[in-house]
Amino acid sequence: MSSDASSLRKFRFAAGGEGNADEGGARRFVKLAQKAEELGFDSFMIPDHLGNQVGPIAALGALAIATDKIRLGTAVLANGFRHPAILAKDAATIDVLSGGRLELGIGAGWMKEEFDKGGIDYERPGIRIAKLEETLQILDVLLRGQECNFDGKYYQIKGLTGSPRPRQGPRPPIAVGGGGPKMLALAAKYADIISVATPTSKEGKLLLSGVTLEKTMERVDRIREAAGDRFDDIELNWTITTIVITDDREQTAEMALAALDQGFPPNIEVDTKLSVEDILSSPYLAIGSFEEIADQIRMVREKTTMSYVGVFPTQMDAFAPIISQLKGE
């Protein structure tokens, strides 16, 4: 379902970084965020993994001081790694230190291997989602600087008042990411920003069928149904996983299909056969000249109402000229 231009949100653009060795390590990390600010990105997001990356909470504290305007956030925290009372305290502190620039992204946690390595219980999906729902209710109260009394199945909070009081009112925005129906329904109920992701297999591989425009529109419709009256207040985000600047879109798409046939990239489960057109219209793939990619992003927003575009750390520079084409639209 497409919307008329007047009802569409303005574009926003998110960069990201992990502070891993490929990016030049933790010390280069601050420079990466400063560069994102210079290039015109609206926000800078840090993922949350126990592997090769900086700790997101500590890193956000540093970025709060080292940057001026760019919004700062997490994409997304694994709920199982932290207790919500502690997380609320850290998040409120970062919002104050940054002058009200926090976007708090949180999810159920999905990389079983990391939970196992860290000795943290990795419960079945139903429990992880139920815990996340309790966390979202607790954060909503504590991040308003209010007193929280919560008697849940997994968390109990008794008379705790959120402090420090965040700079943003009524509280910093909360973002939830998801690709499956349960997570999208949960996000629709509580989140201010929803990251519309591609669904994954039980092993954590991305399902190729999920990258098409058609399937993405179905996910947005699911959010629309679950959100009801809230839908217009929710900002929808997605992340472009691959950017290829080329003057021959079709040939590049054919090469991408050939690579998938050969089992590359290995983190994708080929559960369907896609056409060149499927590849070129996918929200998650940006192939073409700067102008063609800008037009494609406009088309995705028109068809899905998604307006908040994220890119991976390694593709920040490649994407910068596209921002200047879309800024303010």
Side-chain angles (χ1 to χ4, degrees):
M1 131 164 202
S2 60
S3 300
D4 64 282
S6 63
S7 67
L8 294 170
R9 284 175 177 267
K10 284 197 176 220
F11 285 118
R12 287 205 304 142
F13 303 98
E18 300 179 1
N20 59 31
D22 299 340
E23 294 169 14
R27 294 180 61 172
R28 293 271 315 164
F29 181 73
V30 170
K31 289 194 172 60
L32 191 69
Q34 290 168 333
K35 186 172 187 195
E37 188 166 67
E38 275 166 40
L39 290 173
F41 284 90
D42 297 282
S43 60
F44 187 83
M45 296 291 158
I46 310 174
D48 185 22
H49 295 295
L50 293 182
N52 177 20
Q53 69 152 82
V54 293
I57 304 290
L60 285 174
L63 297 188
I65 306 304
T67 58
D68 298 318
K69 293 192 290 288
I70 197 166
R71 292 180 66 75
L72 303 168
T74 50
V76 293
L77 297 177
N79 182 51
F81 290 172
R82 294 168 199 83
H83 191 284
I86 309 300
L87 174 57
K89 169 75 78 181
D90 284 339
T93 302
I94 288 160
D95 197 56
V96 173
L97 293 179
S98 66
R101 291 185 282 141
L102 176 69
E103 290 179 12
L104 182 64
I106 187 162
W110 58 278
M111 281 186 78
K112 180 178 187 305
E113 177 196 359
E114 292 189 346
F115 281 79
D116 292 347
K117 282 182 176 173
I120 302 166
D121 281 348
Y122 185 77
E123 291 118 343
R124 58 186 174 76
I127 293 178
R128 277 180 289 129
I129 291 172
K131 278 187 159 177
L132 177 61
E133 179 159 21
E134 291 192 6
T135 290
L136 289 167
Q137 294 173 65
I138 292 164
L139 290 175
D140 183 52
V141 176
L142 292 177
L143 287 177
R144 293 171 191 265
Q146 296 172 348
E147 183 182 310
C148 183
N149 288 284
F150 186 85
D151 188 17
K153 184 171 178 186
Y154 302 102
Y155 304 112
Q156 292 80 38
I157 312 277
K158 302 179 183 77
L160 180 67
T161 299
S163 71
R165 183 76 193 259
R167 278 287 295 273
Q168 295 179 86
R171 59 160 172 70
I174 292 175
V176 176
K182 284 193 178 129
M183 276 299 294
L184 291 174
L186 179 67
K189 198 168 162 188
Y190 296 101
D192 306 293
I193 301 164
I194 299 179
S195 286
V196 184
T198 48
T200 49
S201 70
K202 283 203 166 60
E203 290 71 47
K205 286 187 167 192
L206 297 175
L207 296 176
L208 184 62
S209 58
V211 308
T212 64
L213 180 62
E214 190 182 17
K215 288 286 185 205
T216 309
M217 289 165 71
E218 285 175 17
R219 289 196 288 279
V220 172
D221 283 337
R222 201 166 279 142
I223 295 169
R224 186 183 279 104
E225 281 165 33
D229 294 343
R230 286 192 76 235
F231 185 74
D232 290 340
D233 299 327
I234 299 171
E235 184 175 33
L236 298 180
N237 158 264
W238 84 104
T239 299
I240 297 175
T241 57
T242 304
I243 299 165
V244 184
I245 308 303
T246 172
D247 51 11
D248 192 337
R249 297 184 80 211
E250 277 72 19
Q251 188 194 2
T252 307
E254 280 162 11
M255 283 162 60
L257 288 172
L260 286 164
D261 284 344
Q262 301 297 313
F264 183 84
N267 63 334
I268 290 183
E269 184 163 311
V270 181
D271 61 336
T272 188
K273 201 96 175 116
L274 298 187
S275 66
V276 165
E277 182 44 43
D278 289 331
I279 294 280
L280 293 179
S281 63
S282 168
Y284 301 93
L285 307 168
I287 298 169
S289 65
F290 295 131
E291 291 78 10
E292 285 169 334
I293 291 172
D295 280 341
Q296 182 196 347
I297 290 171
R298 289 184 188 104
M299 182 274 292
V300 167
R301 179 177 65 171
E302 187 189 323
K303 294 264 198 262
T304 64
T305 73
M306 300 192 303
S307 57
Y308 187 6
V309 190
V311 297
F312 282 131
T314 49
Q315 308 212 284
M316 219 163 78
D317 289 310
F319 193 74
I322 298 158
I323 293 185
S324 52
Q325 299 219 9
L326 295 171
K327 202 82 172 157
E329 286 189 21

